Amino acid sequence: MRILPSCQDRSYWTPNPEEKGHLSPIIGWGAAAAFVAFLTSEGLPVLKERAKAQDEVDTTVRNTTAGALDDGRSLATSGSVADLGKLGVHPATRQVPYQPRDIESEAQQVLADGHALLVLGESMAGKSRMCAHIIQGAYPNHRLMNPLPEKLPELLAATRIEGVVVWLDDLERYLNVAGLRPDWVDVLLDGQNIVVATMRSRAHDAFMPTGEVRHPQLPALRRFQAKRLKDTADETARLAAAMPDPAAAAGVARYGLGAYIGGGPYAVERFEDARTSHPLGQAMVRAAVDWRRIGLEAISTTTLAKLAPAYLNSRHHDGSESTRDALNWARARVFEVVQLLESGAEPDSVRATDYMLDHLSAEKEPIPDLVWETATGTPLPAADALTLAMGAYRANRPQIAAALWKRVAGSGHADQAPVAAFNLGVLEQEQGEVAAARAAYQLAIDSGHADQAPRAAFNLGILDRSRAV
């Protein structure tokens, strides 16, 4: 493995074959005299400059990576990571031996063929656990890089990453980052890296295009080869039969291996039983879930408290449950492993857990207008506003989508503003607003964006010709 300054001449370095990631200088005995002469002339300043550049890269890696450091400086190897929670593997209610999954060999072959792997599935399906087993078995000596989503653009700009396992758990967190070039997956693959990602099925569906409207990171998403992890009847029966006792076998047969071991059913049971005991807490969970359904992540507790009344049933809520008690109940750990709400990245914010999101999303309840209105009025980064606009467009809320796309189109962002302008043009054209559509398409054309400008020019030409007929 090599993590080097983007423009560094690498002729003096080679990877140690036994430990991918250790850099060893090549100095032959026969070249010793010439090398000493080189050092005493112009060579020493060059090597000092390279050492300084490498130190800067090491600092960048430490500041942009969430992975374990085995000595406070170097990235740990895949095989040395004992705490799989660092890879996004959910804590277990009980320990059982690892069970191979039916798609495992197909997933391994994707990586062996040099492609980026994306494993799709429901929350607690076992995506991260299977991927961790694959990389620790097939690439135990490769260094493991777990980039922080918001730091990935900085990492790619500062370094050339070669020969590492790049771990992208919950890929949607990376696809929504501002400033990430659409070709970033190709950059990683060009460095002979092992690129592994996981993603919930519903999150993946949200990135699929709706007509001509598409997410700016769709090209990057399509560079992954996807394998879907599903609890088929045959696999579930096999996994249940491998359990150490009848109770575990029955649990796996009913809920699936990942959900049963991860405690998902306990979270659902806690939620359903709270109708009368914690009505405000239950309402807050529903509101936090809908916040994620529209495309956002963490929600401030202040905003959550304002939304919760829209979900309350007056028959069960007498006003005795305080906001603090409701939040404490929703954030409490069930069997020390699963929650209904978890802490968000920002202070005083929470996020509906993936399992509750999938569970309640399956009910397909309509999202209250108040949630859309509140989200639209919230100051959002351009990437989040784009995601919210996509959700509004799919939910047949064109006014909300148009307002958000106008906001992003005027932001001046090099990649996201042209995408928003093009999408706005499509929407205005669908609404019969020809002048507004022309203005939006022209804005995308004027940006000179490599992808959006020609698409906008084509659509504008079609629009003008149709008007001329």
Side-chain angles (χ1 to χ4, degrees):
M1 180 280 280
R2 292 182 281 190
I3 303 176
L4 301 164
S6 298
C7 59
Q8 182 174 341
D9 177 358
R10 299 187 297 275
S11 59
Y12 286 94
W13 301 95
T14 185
N16 182 324
E18 295 301 320
E19 187 176 286
K20 308 289 191 300
H22 178 74
L23 299 180
S24 303
I26 305 175
I27 305 177
W29 290 107
F35 184 69
V36 170
F38 174 73
L39 288 181
T40 58
S41 56
E42 73 276 5
L44 188 56
V46 171
L47 291 182
K48 285 183 176 179
E49 185 63 28
R50 289 177 178 173
K52 178 182 177 182
Q54 188 65 56
D55 285 342
E56 292 175 352
V57 168
D58 291 343
T59 299
T60 299
V61 170
R62 288 195 298 273
N63 293 339
T64 59
T65 303
L69 302 176
D70 61 2
D71 58 6
R73 287 180 57 87
S74 302
L75 296 170
T77 59
S78 299
S80 69
V81 179
D83 180 7
L84 297 184
K86 294 178 179 178
L87 303 182
V89 177
H90 199 278
T93 57
R94 59 178 300 171
Q95 299 300 318
V96 299
Y98 175 77
Q99 300 298 322
R101 307 302 296 267
D102 287 352
I103 68 164
E104 198 164 310
S105 60
E106 296 178 17
Q108 288 176 327
Q109 192 59 49
V110 169
L111 297 176
D113 290 342
H115 302 298
L117 170 67
L118 172 60
V119 176
L120 300 171
E122 301 303 313
S123 174
M124 294 191 192
K127 306 180 295 296
S128 301
R129 183 67 185 90
M130 185 191 77
C131 289
H133 180 78
I134 289 174
I135 64 166
Q136 290 192 322
Y139 310 100
N141 294 322
H142 281 61
R143 297 288 179 177
L144 178 65
M145 177 173 284
N146 185 3
L148 296 168
E150 67 278 8
K151 297 290 187 179
L152 184 56
E154 176 187 347
L155 178 65
L156 292 175
T159 67
R160 175 171 172 79
I161 304 166
E162 296 182 350
V164 306
V165 172
V166 181
W167 183 266
L168 306 169
D169 197 48
D170 293 334
L171 181 62
E172 67 274 15
R173 298 182 302 148
Y174 298 88
L175 297 177
N176 282 324
V177 170
L180 195 57
R181 290 167 38 184
D183 65 344
W184 63 273
V185 180
D186 291 315
V187 171
L188 290 175
L189 292 175
D190 288 345
Q192 304 300 308
N193 297 294
I194 309 300
V195 182
V196 183
T198 67
M199 197 175 191
R200 290 181 306 103
S201 297
R202 284 187 175 86
H204 181 265
D205 294 344
F207 283 87
M208 294 297 100
T210 302
E212 291 190 89
V213 173
R214 61 185 64 180
H215 193 280
Q217 284 293 329
L218 181 61
L221 179 58
R222 285 177 166 166
R223 293 295 291 119
F224 288 84
Q225 286 202 10
K227 295 296 177 181
R228 196 171 294 271
L229 188 61
K230 298 185 290 187
D231 289 322
T232 64
D234 289 345
E235 184 181 55
T236 298
R238 174 177 64 80
L239 296 174
M243 291 299 101
D245 57 72
V252 171
R254 181 176 179 181
Y255 301 111
L257 176 63
Y260 173 71
I261 298 300
Y266 296 124
V268 172
E269 181 180 28
R270 180 179 178 81
F271 175 81
E272 299 293 349
D273 288 348
R275 186 183 302 267
T276 57
S277 58
H278 291 280
L280 182 57
Q282 191 183 68
M284 286 185 164
V285 172
R286 286 193 178 276
V289 163
D290 282 352
W291 195 255
R292 290 194 65 186
R293 285 176 67 194
I294 65 174
L296 301 179
E297 288 293 323
I299 181 172
S300 73
T301 54
T302 301
T303 301
L304 188 60
K306 293 178 180 178
L307 295 180
Y311 296 83
L312 278 172
N313 186 326
S314 58
R315 292 180 302 168
H316 303 302
H317 181 55
D318 58 9
S320 61
E321 186 181 13
S322 69
T323 298
R324 180 178 179 180
D325 289 343
L327 284 170
N328 286 341
W329 169 82
R331 288 187 291 198
R333 291 189 176 275
V334 184
F335 292 104
E336 300 300 320
V337 297
V338 67
Q339 300 167 279
L340 307 183
L341 299 180
E342 59 192 7
S343 297
E346 299 297 323
D348 298 320
S349 69
V350 293
R351 177 179 180 270
T353 56
D354 289 347
Y355 196 83
M356 291 308 302
L357 173 61
D358 282 349
H359 174 73
L360 292 178
S361 295
E363 297 180 357
K364 298 183 179 179
E365 290 288 333
I367 298 173
D369 291 343
L370 180 62
V371 176
W372 287 104
E373 294 165 2
T374 302
T376 306
T378 301
L380 296 170
D384 289 348
L386 265 183
T387 301
L388 182 59
M390 291 284 292
Y393 182 78
R394 287 195 178 93
N396 196 27
R397 293 179 178 265
Q399 291 181 330
I400 292 176
L404 290 164
W405 278 327
K406 286 177 182 177
R407 186 193 306 177
V408 179
S411 68
H413 191 282
D415 289 318
Q416 291 162 337
V419 171
F422 177 85
N423 289 347
L424 178 61
V426 172
L427 175 59
E428 298 288 18
Q429 187 174 352
E430 291 173 346
Q431 298 293 310
E433 302 292 339
V434 177
R438 292 189 85 263
Y441 285 142
Q442 191 62 54
L443 189 60
I445 293 169
D446 293 344
S447 73
H449 191 275
D451 181 29
Q452 303 305 324
R455 294 180 69 211
F458 178 83
N459 278 19
L460 183 56
I462 296 294
L463 180 62
D464 287 344
R465 282 197 294 272
S466 68
R467 295 285 294 174
V469 175

